[in-house]
């Protein structure tokens, strides 16, 4: 049993080695023509420059939180506060490192993917996937590495007081980076995308990614800072939180004592419950590594089938590994003593069932996202049909389909919570008892057990998108752009699927963290709807995701306005630019600078609110904070699903028309679809994806600081 954290360390190192191998494969590939190299270098330079500036800004926030954890009385003694501060710092640093590595390789893979597309999709797809897999396995490997080290250091080796609160601080560090990375990257990418599309496509009548458009390079940079670094930080935080939540919950449901004079913890049979989430993380990592090796380009096979092969192999292996690992870890029917009850883990197989429920639930939520965002299904075709009558009907239908998409997502999450709660209790022979909440927390791990592959498939999308832009700017033959467009269209759908995984796990993880918050607060928190403080908190919490969405969307609007003004100015003041005269080039650096400054400036207020609001409410009234979290989790989940799916549907409706439907490019229908896509940009890439981080940041801040509130 004590070998589990070491197994997790080995699995994380293997993941990092695979990321290193894939990085070498990508870097060995041919970058193509001199012009392609030049364009790729400009994108890489802009992306890495933004990431460095963003990290400098965020480091100030991280330093402030480090000090806050030291001075706020989250523990009676200084030692656990110091440990929590360092655990927080480790979470922030590892998340930043994963983003930096993933960004570096993604910006190298885009040019090489564009060049490989000259030989066909069978060459380009596996290269783009490997570029994304570097981010995927860096994220998952570093997250599991950090959790394993924190568990060994604070719980096993040093045995600090309130050790599991300290482990939770690691998740808080990851959440801090994720929140700012998602908001900042989302504002950056959509400012460039919206500004470039409205002036370029609609006003100037030039194609997407045309080298004449000054915003084209900024848009390509944005794909990386938003959909690679931002998304990677998002799923780093989601993955870490999904493991931390059941570990902390188990420590509160089954009290853990330190025995004797030694600092080393003595847990008895309870150690199995603490180790189990880490074991599933390790086994899922091994399954993901094997699955990733199955993604190979083959002529004649469908692109989605080839890309999803690795994910399906990883999921199948995770099911097998989870069953075997559960039976081995809990052989002998161990017993667990709480303050009121002694539980016997008489049927451990049901714990494996909670993992399977989470895994299948995550896949099902991802499938519903694919249904509502893929051009192969009715919702997107319906939005494209509405383009015949103008942008107003396109907008109405996109909003309607996004809101409708919350129905299957909620049904699936409710079913997943109910089944995992039932199975969690049945494992202990106590169906319906509070111990069943442990099973709910485990379901979140099941959803993200194959994070390495999920992120790889998601990060593939912006690499393919950039490859298409480079093909256009480098004036490669139309058939090459046709290959990259097919890869890009698939990438939009895979991004929606990954967002489904992330937001679904956010709801379940937040529920587990919320229960941990309630257990830590004890009798001080009674979530009675008749309590005026709880009712006030519910309203404030339900309001917060709406305010957060409004702030981030307004930020995109302001930044895009500045971009539009700049693009119009360059078309008006640079002779021959719009006409594409030889030797006339736009000032792309100016557009990159506009997006960078806007993103860094605009991310501070919404990001700060996520931390400040629960702290302020918690110090005023802990019951109000409980209501606040409940309201925020429910509305935040719904808004995240609605915005992500509406945005993805608008985007693919535009691409469906560009592929030839309803008259194709240059028609009134196409112009209407471009407007819909523009509205959807901040929906799917800024406000929507950041929502799941918002609800987890507020929940984990409340959990870590609840001793101070009391």
């Amino acid at each position: 049993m004590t070998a589990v954290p070491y197994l997790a360390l080995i699995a994380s190192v293997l993941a990092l080695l695979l990321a290193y191998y894939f990085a070498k494969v990508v870097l060995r590939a041919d970058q193509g023509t001199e012009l392609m190299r030049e364009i790729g270098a400009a994108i890489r330079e802009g992306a890495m420059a933004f990431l460095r500036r963003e990290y400098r800004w965020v480091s100030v926030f991280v330093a402030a939180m480090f000090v806050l954890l030291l001075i706020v009385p989250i523990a009676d003694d200084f030692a656990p506060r110091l440990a929590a501060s360092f655990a927080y710092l480790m979470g922030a640093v590892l998340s930043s490192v994963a983003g930096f590595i993933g960004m570096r390789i993604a910006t190298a893979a885009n040019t090489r993917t564009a060049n490989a597309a000259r030989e066909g999709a069978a060459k380009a797809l596996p290269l783009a996937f490997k570029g994304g897999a570097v981010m995927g396995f860096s994220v998952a490997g570093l997250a599991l590495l950090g959790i394993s080290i924190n568990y060994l250091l604070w719980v096993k080796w040093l045995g600090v007081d309130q050790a599991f609160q300290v482990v939770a601080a690691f998740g808080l560090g990851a959440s801090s980076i994720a929140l700012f990375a998602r908001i900042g990257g989302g504002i950056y990418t959509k400012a460039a995308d919206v500004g470039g599309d409205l002036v370029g496509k609609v006003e100037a009548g030039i194609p997407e990614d045309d080298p004449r458009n000054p915003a084209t390079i900024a848009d390509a940079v944005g794909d990386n800072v938003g959909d690679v670094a931002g998304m990677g930080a998002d799923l780093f935080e989601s993955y870490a939180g999904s493991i931390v939540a059941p570990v902390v919950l188990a420590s509160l449901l089954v009290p853990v004592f330190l025995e004797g004079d030694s600092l080393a913890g003595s847990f008895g049979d309870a150690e199995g419950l603490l180790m189990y989430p880490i074991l599933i993380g390790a086994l899922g990592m091994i399954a993901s590594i094997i699955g990733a090796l199955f993604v190979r380009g083959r002529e004649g096979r469908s692109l989605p089938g080839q890309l999803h092969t690795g994910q399906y192999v990883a999921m199948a292996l995770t099911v097998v590994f989870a069953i075997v690992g559960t039976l081995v870890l809990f052989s002998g029917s161990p017993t667990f003593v709480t303050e009121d009850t002694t539980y016997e883990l008489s049927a451990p197989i049901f714990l494996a069932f909670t993992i399977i429920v989470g895994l299948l639930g995550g896949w099902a939520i991802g499938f519903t996202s694919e249904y509502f965002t893929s051009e192969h299904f009715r919702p997107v075709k319906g939005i494209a049909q509405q383009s015949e009558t103008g942008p107003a009907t396109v907008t109405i239908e996109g909003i309607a389909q996004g809101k409708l998409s919350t129905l299957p997502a909620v049904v699936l999450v409710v079913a997943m919570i109910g089944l995992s709660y039932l199975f969690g209790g049945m494992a202990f022979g106590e169906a319906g008892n509070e111990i069943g909440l442990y099973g709910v927390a485990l379901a979140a791990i099941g959803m993200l057990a194959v994070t390495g592959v999920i992120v790889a498939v998601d990060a593939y999308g912006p690499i393919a998108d950039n490859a298409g832009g480079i093909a256009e700017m480098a004036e490669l033959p139309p058939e090459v752009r046709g290959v990259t467009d097919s890869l890009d269209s698939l990438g939009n759908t895979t991004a929606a699927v990954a967002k489904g995984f992330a937001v679904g796990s956010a709801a379940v993880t937040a529920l587990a963290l919320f229960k941990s918050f309630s257990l830590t607060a004890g009798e001080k928190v009674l979530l009675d709807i008749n309590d005026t403080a709880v009712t006030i908190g519910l309203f404030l919490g339900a309001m917060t995701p709406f305010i957060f969405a409004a702030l981030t969307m307004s930020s995109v609007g302001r930044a895009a306005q500045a971009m539009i003004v700049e693009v119009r100015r360059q078309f008006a003041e640079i002779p021959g630019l719009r006409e594409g005269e030889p030797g006339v080039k736009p000032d792309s650096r100016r557009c990159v600078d506009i997006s960078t400054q806007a993103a860094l400036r605009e991310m501070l207020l919404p990001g700060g609110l996520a931390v400040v609001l629960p702290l302020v409410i918690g110090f005023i009234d802990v019951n109000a904070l409980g209501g606040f979290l409940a309201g925020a989790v429910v509305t935040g989940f719904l808004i995240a699903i609605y915005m992500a799916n509406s945005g993805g549907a608008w985007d693919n409706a535009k691409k469906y028309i560009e592929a030839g439907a309803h008259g194709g490019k240059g028609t009134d229908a196409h112009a209407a679809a471009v407007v819909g896509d523009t509205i959807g940009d901040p929906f799917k890439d800024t406000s929507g994806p950041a929502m799941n981080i918002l609800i987890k940041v507020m929940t984990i801040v409340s959990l870590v600081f609840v001793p101070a509130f009391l």
Side-chain angles (χ1 to χ4, degrees):
M1 188 179 295
T2 56
V4 168
Y6 298 101
L7 174 64
L9 286 176
I10 293 170
S12 61
V13 170
L14 289 175
L16 294 173
L17 288 174
L18 182 65
Y20 176 76
Y21 167 71
F22 280 161
K24 298 296 286 185
V25 171
V26 169
L27 294 174
R28 282 200 302 265
D30 186 4
Q31 297 185 60
T33 66
E34 188 61 36
L35 180 56
M36 293 171 68
R37 293 168 185 262
E38 180 184 326
I39 296 167
I43 295 171
R44 181 167 59 254
E45 177 187 334
M48 301 309 292
F50 171 80
L51 199 63
R52 285 191 290 269
R53 290 178 64 176
E54 182 183 51
Y55 284 173
R56 282 200 296 270
W57 282 53
V58 174
S59 65
V60 176
F61 176 85
V62 170
M65 287 296 296
F66 182 91
V67 174
L68 194 63
L69 288 166
L70 282 177
I71 62 176
V72 173
I74 60 173
D76 295 332
D77 298 325
F78 181 73
R81 297 206 296 269
L82 181 63
S85 296
F86 277 102
Y88 170 84
L89 184 62
M90 186 184 297
V93 169
L94 289 180
S95 179
S96 302
V97 169
F100 190 88
I101 293 171
M103 176 82 87
R104 173 66 185 86
I105 300 303
T107 53
N110 52 18
T111 310
R112 292 161 171 85
T113 300
N115 186 61
R118 299 162 79 180
E119 300 180 46
K123 287 284 188 181
L125 183 139
L127 192 61
F129 173 79
K130 287 181 172 63
V134 174
M135 171 59 100
F137 287 99
S138 295
V139 163
L142 288 172
L144 186 60
L145 181 72
I147 291 168
S148 305
I149 291 174
N150 272 275
Y151 186 91
L152 288 169
L153 185 61
W154 311 119
V155 179
K156 294 293 292 180
W157 297 339
L158 299 180
V160 299
D161 291 337
Q162 296 176 267
F164 297 99
Q165 288 283 109
V166 172
V167 174
F170 175 84
L172 178 58
S175 297
S176 298
I177 298 297
L179 186 65
F180 286 105
R182 259 304 188 190
I183 297 171
I187 293 171
Y188 184 111
T189 183
K190 293 304 108 180
D193 199 358
V194 170
D197 278 359
L198 287 182
V199 182
K201 288 185 179 181
V202 178
E203 294 182 11
I206 61 177
E208 185 171 9
D209 300 322
D210 194 288
R212 292 172 287 174
N213 193 329
T216 297
I217 292 292
D219 184 16
V221 172
D223 290 335
N224 290 284
V225 301
D227 295 336
V228 177
M231 175 275 304
D234 180 352
L235 282 167
F236 182 102
E237 179 267 346
S238 297
Y239 182 68
S242 71
I243 297 177
V244 166
V247 170
V248 175
L249 183 61
S251 73
L252 294 167
L253 287 172
V254 183
V256 175
F257 303 97
L258 298 179
E259 298 178 351
D261 297 327
S262 170
L263 289 175
S266 177
F267 310 124
D269 286 343
E271 188 169 19
L273 295 184
L274 301 172
M275 296 286 192
Y276 186 59
I278 300 175
L279 174 66
I280 296 300
L283 296 177
M285 185 74 74
I286 294 170
S288 297
I289 291 170
I290 297 171
L293 297 175
F294 275 81
V295 178
R296 299 186 179 93
R298 291 185 176 89
E299 294 287 354
R301 287 190 56 189
S302 71
L303 295 180
Q306 294 183 67
L307 193 60
H308 290 306
T309 295
Q311 183 178 330
Y312 294 149
V313 168
M315 289 173 63
L317 289 175
T318 299
V319 169
V320 175
F321 291 169
I323 292 172
V324 174
T326 302
L327 295 177
V328 171
L329 184 66
F330 294 114
S331 59
S333 299
T335 57
F336 308 93
V337 181
T338 71
E339 293 180 355
D340 304 316
T341 312
T342 298
Y343 293 108
E344 180 181 1
L345 186 55
S346 54
I349 188 65
F350 285 106
L351 292 184
F353 289 169
T354 67
I355 302 297
I356 297 170
V357 164
L359 188 65
L360 295 179
W363 174 83
I365 292 174
F367 176 77
T368 63
S369 295
E370 182 174 358
Y371 173 78
F372 280 96
T373 60
S374 172
E375 70 272 17
H376 299 296
F377 300 106
R378 183 179 298 175
V380 168
K381 290 182 178 179
I383 294 171
Q385 178 67 42
Q386 294 287 356
S387 68
E388 298 277 2
T389 50
T393 47
V394 167
T395 303
I396 292 169
E397 186 65 15
I399 291 173
Q401 292 298 329
K403 290 185 175 180
L404 185 62
S405 71
T406 62
L407 172 61
V410 168
V411 169
L412 287 168
V413 166
V414 168
M416 189 167 55
I417 291 173
L419 282 173
S420 57
Y421 177 76
L422 177 66
F423 288 149
M426 290 173 66
F428 298 90
E430 297 283 347
N433 198 287
E434 188 177 59
I435 196 73
L437 286 167
Y438 180 67
V440 177
L442 292 176
I445 304 178
M447 294 185 78
L448 294 174
V450 292
T451 291
V453 174
I454 294 171
V455 178
V457 171
D458 194 2
Y460 150 90
I463 292 172
D465 191 3
N466 266 202
I470 291 168
E472 183 74 31
M473 287 183 277
E475 300 177 349
L476 297 182
E479 57 269 22
V480 176
R481 185 62 202 250
V483 170
T484 59
D485 280 349
S486 65
L487 297 175
D488 183 27
S489 180
L490 174 59
N492 283 325
T493 301
T494 59
V497 171
K499 287 166 186 167
F501 269 96
V503 74
S505 70
V508 180
T509 300
L511 176 62
L513 292 170
F514 180 72
K515 181 60 181 178
S516 298
F517 161 79
S518 300
L519 290 171
T520 304
E523 296 180 356
K524 297 289 182 70
V525 175
L526 300 173
L527 286 179
D528 184 354
I529 192 66
N530 295 311
D531 185 335
T532 302
V534 174
T535 303
I536 291 171
L538 276 170
F539 275 96
L540 291 174
M543 171 200 72
T544 299
F546 287 92
I547 301 303
F548 182 83
L551 289 172
T552 49
M553 291 189 72
S554 292
S555 296
V556 171
R558 285 190 294 271
Q561 191 172 33
M563 186 68 70
I564 289 169
V565 169
E566 175 60 23
V567 175
R568 284 175 176 167
R569 183 195 68 78
Q570 292 197 33
F571 277 141
E573 297 180 5
I574 301 178
L577 178 60
R578 188 195 298 263
E579 294 75 19
E581 292 183 5
V584 179
K585 293 184 178 181
D587 182 4
S588 299
R589 288 180 179 271
R590 175 62 186 151
C591 292
V592 169
D593 191 53
I594 287 173
S595 277
T596 299
Q597 292 184 27
L600 296 176
R601 180 178 63 251
E602 299 281 0
M603 73 180 182
L604 297 178
L605 179 58
L609 281 178
V611 176
V612 171
L613 280 177
L615 289 176
V616 170
I617 295 172
F619 280 116
I620 294 173
D621 190 293
V622 181
N623 277 298
L625 179 59
F628 174 84
L629 295 175
V633 168
V634 173
T635 58
F637 171 72
L638 291 171
I639 293 174
I641 291 289
Y642 152 56
M643 298 186 87
N645 288 341
S646 281
W650 274 316
D651 191 356
N652 275 337
K654 176 202 69 176
K655 286 185 167 58
Y656 179 61
I657 292 173
E658 289 177 343
H662 303 287
K665 295 181 180 180
T667 61
D668 289 342
H670 181 232
V674 170
V675 173
D677 175 41
T678 303
I679 297 170
D681 277 336
F683 271 52
K684 69 182 176 66
D685 290 325
T686 307
S687 302
M691 204 63 65
N692 65 297
I693 309 173
L694 172 75
I695 60 180
K696 281 186 288 184
V697 166
M698 294 193 298
T699 308
I700 202 165
V701 164
S702 303
L703 172 60
V704 170
F705 285 93
V706 69
F709 300 152
L710 300 176

